[in-house]
Amino acid sequence: MIDIIDYSCQAAVTCTGFFSLYLLASQDARVRMYAGIVGMIGEPFWLTTAIINEQWGILPLVVIYGVNWVRVIASNYHEDQRVKLKKVSW
């Protein structure tokens, strides 16, 4: 049972990682914001597979990546709002 959970988590890490990197390369701030959201979705899977495999060195990376995904979300959200206001203002 643990193997199935571990393999599923590793598949989720791979999918969210590839997809978030793909979105992160966009010119559109809103798309980059979604990259951060997808990256954050992958963090619990990183945490789970690190604990299952007793890879304690990965735990600080989970925190570091999580903090930086939040930064990606926040900065691109603010950029998206700024662009919207610029389009509306005279």
Side-chain angles (χ1 to χ4, degrees), residues 1-20:
M1 180 66 169
I2 295 293
D3 286 341
I4 293 171
I5 294 170
D6 187 34
Y7 293 144
S8 299
C9 286
Q10 289 186 28
V13 164
T14 301
C15 292
T16 57
F18 282 142
F19 192 51
S20 63

Side-chain angles (χ1 to χ4, degrees), residues 28-30 75-85:
D28 185 2
R30 176 171 284 188
S75 65
N76 286 290
Y77 174 79
H78 293 303
E79 176 67 18
D80 184 50
Q81 295 303 309
R82 188 186 64 76
V83 169
K84 283 181 185 177
L85 287 174

Side-chain angles (χ1 to χ4, degrees), residues 7 9 12 16 28 33 43 55 70 72 74 78-79 86-87:
Y7 293 144
C9 286
T16 57
D28 185 2
M33 181 184 68
E43 289 304 300
Q55 296 174 325
V70 170
V72 167
H78 293 303
E79 176 67 18
K86 191 174 182 181
K87 288 180 182 177

Side-chain angles (χ1 to χ4, degrees), residues 27 31 36 56 62 72 74:
Q27 298 293 322
V31 174
W56 310 121
V62 170
V72 167

